[in-house]
Amino acid sequence: MNAGYRLVMKTGPNPGQVFELDGTEFSIGRDINNDIVINDAEMSRKHSKVYVYGQGFVIEDLGSTNGTFVNGQRLTGIFQLAAGDVISFGENSSCSFEVPEVDPDATRVSAQTPPYAAPMTSAPSMPAQSQETFISAPPPPQYDPLPVQPNYAGGVPGSYPTPEKPKKKGKAWLIILIILLLVICCCIIFWVIIDTQNMYCDLAPGIMNSVFGKGSCP
């Protein structure tokens, strides 16, 4: 199935060693239980793995200490391998990824379509292409647009502003001012009545005698 895919060691314990990728998944590391064993101190016991994904192979680091690199870039997830990619395990060991060569002539014959000539019973009145009928695809179904939902921000409709509460402080000051004016008016009226009627001695004779002298009020 995957014949021809392989890893060729470039640097490390055995340069030139070939690892055939003739399966679907291969673990790589220092432990002898791995599918590909590389006996290098920079390698972790379970360093990385190569497996089939889509139309090719990908490589994934398994949390190794010294990291897995492809063309000098450290892996942080899966990476789709291409022909000629250089995979480094730490600083000492590296392999190149090689893919099978495809013969372009192998599919050339199947790509050609044999010519076909329809039998002619009479002289055509128009070119052959104009006699072909084409069935157009049915038009896509029409759907009524969904009603637009109002925008909400923080659970409150954005299009409905919250009315401001009336300011009670201004009304309180206005009431106090009116009461104060009424008190002042009452005091002025009371003072005018006392002054016009000369009622000082009737209301406070003691105060008048102490202020203006004894005998001021009988």
Side-chain angles (χ1 to χ4, degrees):
M1 177 180 176
N2 299 317
Y5 291 92
R6 59 184 183 175
L7 294 178
V8 180
M9 182 169 287
K10 309 298 287 186
T11 60
N14 299 306
Q17 185 177 1
V18 177
F19 303 101
E20 297 289 344
L21 304 178
D22 52 0
T24 58
E25 183 174 337
F26 302 87
S27 60
I28 306 172
R30 192 177 73 250
D31 194 282
I32 59 174
N33 294 321
N34 289 290
D35 300 306
I36 298 176
V37 179
I38 300 177
N39 189 13
D40 180 11
E42 291 282 327
M43 297 285 295
S44 297
R45 297 176 64 86
K46 291 284 187 179
H47 198 98
S48 58
K49 67 177 179 178
V50 176
Y51 54 94
V52 174
Y53 187 85
Q55 300 298 320
F57 279 90
V58 297
I59 186 169
E60 181 180 359
D61 187 79
L62 299 178
S64 63
T65 303
N66 297 311
T68 303
F69 302 80
V70 176
N71 300 327
Q73 299 294 323
R74 185 163 186 164
L75 297 183
T76 57
I78 63 172
F79 183 87
Q80 184 77 46
L81 292 172
D85 284 343
V86 177
I87 307 168
S88 301
F89 309 99
E91 298 181 355
N92 298 333
S93 300
S94 64
C95 295
S96 64
F97 178 72
E98 298 184 0
V99 300
E101 295 182 359
V102 179
D103 186 3
D105 296 331
T107 58
R108 183 175 299 173
V109 175
S110 61
Q112 295 178 354
T113 304
Y116 172 77
M120 297 179 61
T121 58
S122 60
S125 59
M126 61 182 65
Q129 284 187 347
S130 63
Q131 296 179 358
E132 296 179 357
T133 59
F134 298 89
I135 301 175
S136 60
Q142 301 294 327
Y143 298 97
D144 295 332
L146 295 176
V148 179
Q149 299 293 333
N151 294 327
Y152 292 91
V156 180
S159 59
Y160 302 99
T162 304
E164 296 183 357
K165 294 183 178 180
K167 298 181 179 179
K168 297 182 179 180
K169 187 175 180 181
K171 289 186 177 181
W173 280 108
L174 182 61
I175 293 173
I176 293 173
L177 181 60
I178 293 173
I179 294 174
L180 184 61
L181 290 175
L182 290 175
V183 171
I184 293 174
C185 291
C186 290
C187 291
I188 292 173
I189 294 172
F190 182 71
W191 181 263
V192 170
I193 293 172
I194 292 175
D195 186 64
T196 55
Q197 299 295 326
N198 198 13
M199 298 173 62
Y200 301 110
C201 292
D202 295 335
L203 295 175
I207 296 175
M208 295 299 295
N209 288 330
S210 61
V211 175
F212 298 101
K214 293 181 179 181
S216 298
C217 291

